[in-house]
Amino acid sequence: MQQRFVVCTSRITSGLAELEQMVTDLGGRITTTLDSSVVTHLVAGIPNATKCVQASECSIPIVQESWVRSSWMLWKDMGGKSLTINERNKIPLSSVNDHRVPPLRGQTLSVTGPGFSNRAEIEKRIKLLGGKYTGSF
């Protein structure tokens, strides 16, 4: 995780200290402010936090905690703390695309009006994006 600077939102679901240690083990650094000239990733639990909006506007990847954990497991499986800095920096991180925060996570949506005839398809798409659909308002 050479040259990676990570910010975590306050809405992550597990221990922040543990996540910070994993980032440090990977060679990254945790920072508390979202400075687009420095920050490379935002770890978030849900996508509607203020930092998520800022990260999105700056094209900073918004990932789930699982990205850090998965990357850390790769590091651990390759030798972990016994690795030199150069060896550590050659270990690939988990794919960001596999761990992006679903854009509708934590959101409940309802569709009203006569123009929405295929509500089952709408519900399916909402669920694929991490949201919940309700037929009643």
Side-chain angles (χ1 to χ4, degrees), residues 15-44:
L16 182 58
E18 179 186 21
L19 229 52
E20 288 178 350
Q21 184 60 54
M22 289 178 176
V23 168
T24 301
D25 287 345
L26 291 166
R29 291 187 48 201
I30 295 285
T31 181
T32 56
T33 57
L34 205 145
D35 177 351
S36 63
S37 67
V38 176
V39 173
T40 58
H41 297 81
L42 173 66
V43 178

Side-chain angles (χ1 to χ4, degrees), residues 56-94:
S56 181
E57 290 171 351
C58 297
S59 299
I60 295 170
I62 304 167
V63 295
Q64 301 175 69
E65 298 167 49
S66 61
W67 175 73
V68 175
R69 295 179 187 289
S70 179
S71 296
W72 187 84
M73 288 303 294
L74 289 171
W75 168 82
K76 183 180 173 195
D77 290 346
M78 297 294 286
K81 293 188 185 287
S82 68
L83 298 172
T84 66
I85 292 173
N86 288 335
E87 290 170 333
R88 179 194 65 205
N89 292 340
K90 291 178 184 174
I91 297 173
L93 299 176
S94 290

